Amino acid sequence: MRFQPALDKIPAYEAGKPIELVVREYGISPEKVLKLASNENPYGVSPKVSEVIKEAVYKMPLYPDDSYKALKDALAKTHGVDAKNVIQGNGSDQIFDFATRSVLNPGDKILQNGKTFSMYSIYAGQCGAETIQTSSELHDLNQFLDLYKKHSPKIIFICTPCNPIGDALDKSDLYTFLQKISSDTMVVLDAAYMEFGKTRDLRKEVQAADVISKFPNVLYTNTFSKIYGLGGMRIGYGIASEEMIRAFYKLRPPFNVSQLSQLAAATALSDREFVENYLKENLKEMVRYENFAKKKGLFYFESYANFITIKLDQAKLDSTQTFDTLLKEGIILRNLKSYGLNALRITIGRPEQNDRVLERLSELL
């Protein structure tokens, strides 16, 4: 059987190790496995979400309302936009898929940061497009602009705050950059960690309504997997001009978000107290990791997300070996060797979870 030639150049996405794998391969009981690898919410979901899902189990045999009116109205209200500016996705990944397939042809190019979410280039590759990336670890908008002028990419992907590094752009710098980009170039602004970023520094906040009104070529995306704790429900969304959303709807499969997922998402938006408590705890525990790294003489990236990336070069440790050692003990972190970094990315957990990680890392160091 012959497959598309473009697939030969595309790596499969490698997700964080699941708890089930550790239980299965190392014989560790599930309650002793600690997973801080995928930037999930360590506090779970809002109690309001749990209750509404219990009450809605009877809807499981039914297809969802394919207009997704309740969810889109809730998102529109939250972000101060019209429902016509919103599209739901099976995770924000599906929105990236819509974006790439809507404009890319074989031979086209996308532009992204040197260290960023790998699915941008994977979706672009599926369209036969080439990925151009900066040489910097952090977002360097001067490099972006130079490469933009040289390569004329059809899409620019900007992840702020950025996964897997955690850096975030000031809104003023981002807007100055966007003013120099042609309206014919789509700019995808991946804001999966925006709530965390603005909590640490308001200069990092980019509001969907504001950016799409000023720059109609911008697609603002976000997810319910991080701050709302709905990773298992697979739901994200995009906010953009009506023209862009209409184009995406021609690519969207029917019923692309499940009945219970849209209900959970709309309910999660209503519980700000749950979100604010998590943001407060995340920042407090983040400081513990920063202080640990400083004390041990390790380099870390200042993070505006719900994770921290710590390099192991100064400790003369190999991230793969360290990752494997911890994995066998039931501690799942994220090894960033595949990103070209001798580093571990650690999701900020609950205090008692962080106690365990910090104690074990201290022993290894």
Side-chain angles (χ1 to χ4, degrees), residues 82-300:
D82 192 280
K84 294 178 181 178
N85 298 114
V86 181
I87 185 169
Q88 72 290 337
N90 191 271
S92 56
D93 308 62
Q94 190 175 47
I95 309 300
F96 305 144
D97 183 33
F98 296 159
T100 53
R101 287 196 290 134
S102 69
V103 299
L104 294 178
N105 294 303
D108 286 338
K109 298 175 182 179
I110 69 163
L111 173 60
Q112 65 179 35
N113 196 53
K115 310 295 182 188
T116 196
F117 186 43
S118 60
M119 286 307 301
Y120 310 149
S121 59
I122 289 176
Y123 283 129
Q126 291 172 1
C127 299
E130 177 186 356
T131 296
I132 306 298
Q133 58 186 28
T134 66
S135 61
S136 58
E137 292 177 339
L138 306 182
H139 276 72
D140 183 334
L141 292 179
N142 290 324
Q143 278 197 42
F144 266 85
L145 191 58
D146 289 343
L147 291 171
Y148 168 73
K149 292 176 179 178
K150 181 179 179 180
H151 294 282
S152 300
K154 284 281 190 72
I155 304 178
I156 301 173
F157 283 93
I158 295 179
C159 184
T160 181
C162 183
N163 174 29
I165 298 297
D167 63 306
L169 295 166
D170 283 1
K171 184 182 80 170
S172 58
D173 293 336
L174 175 63
Y175 278 27
T176 298
F177 171 77
L178 292 174
Q179 289 167 359
K180 300 173 184 177
I181 303 303
S182 167
S183 59
D184 291 329
T185 303
M186 182 186 294
V187 179
V188 179
L189 185 64
D190 183 352
Y193 301 93
M194 186 61 69
E195 290 259 19
F196 300 100
K198 75 174 186 179
T199 298
R200 184 156 198 168
D201 187 343
L202 276 174
R203 292 174 298 180
K204 311 298 183 183
E205 181 183 15
V206 180
Q207 296 179 346
D210 184 58
V211 73
I212 71 165
S213 67
K214 288 182 169 65
F215 306 100
N217 58 322
V218 168
L219 165 63
Y220 180 103
T221 70
N222 209 324
T223 177
F224 284 88
S225 298
K226 310 305 178 186
I227 198 164
Y228 295 108
L230 296 178
M233 301 297 262
R234 303 306 301 130
I235 181 164
Y237 58 94
I239 299 175
S241 67
E242 288 186 41
E243 178 187 29
M244 195 181 297
I245 297 299
R246 281 197 300 269
F248 290 178
Y249 259 90
K250 295 177 181 179
L251 298 168
R252 182 190 72 94
F255 313 117
N256 65 316
V257 171
S258 76
Q259 180 84 273
L260 298 185
S261 293
Q262 68 160 327
L263 183 59
T267 306
L269 288 171
S270 69
D271 194 348
R272 285 305 303 177
E273 182 179 0
F274 175 81
V275 168
E276 295 299 333
N277 286 337
Y278 173 34
L279 289 169
K280 179 181 176 181
E281 290 300 314
N282 177 77
L283 192 54
K284 183 173 71 175
E285 292 296 305
M286 175 81 74
V287 173
R288 292 183 62 197
Y289 280 97
E290 292 175 343
N291 290 337
F292 170 82
K294 291 174 185 175
K295 182 179 178 180
K296 299 295 182 180
L298 299 175
F299 176 85
Y300 69 90

Side-chain angles (χ1 to χ4, degrees), residues 292 296 298 312 314-317 360-365:
F292 170 82
K296 299 295 182 180
L298 299 175
L312 300 180
Q314 290 160 303
K316 297 182 180 180
L317 291 176
R360 193 65 189 95
L361 282 177
S362 185
E363 292 169 353
L364 290 174
L365 290 168

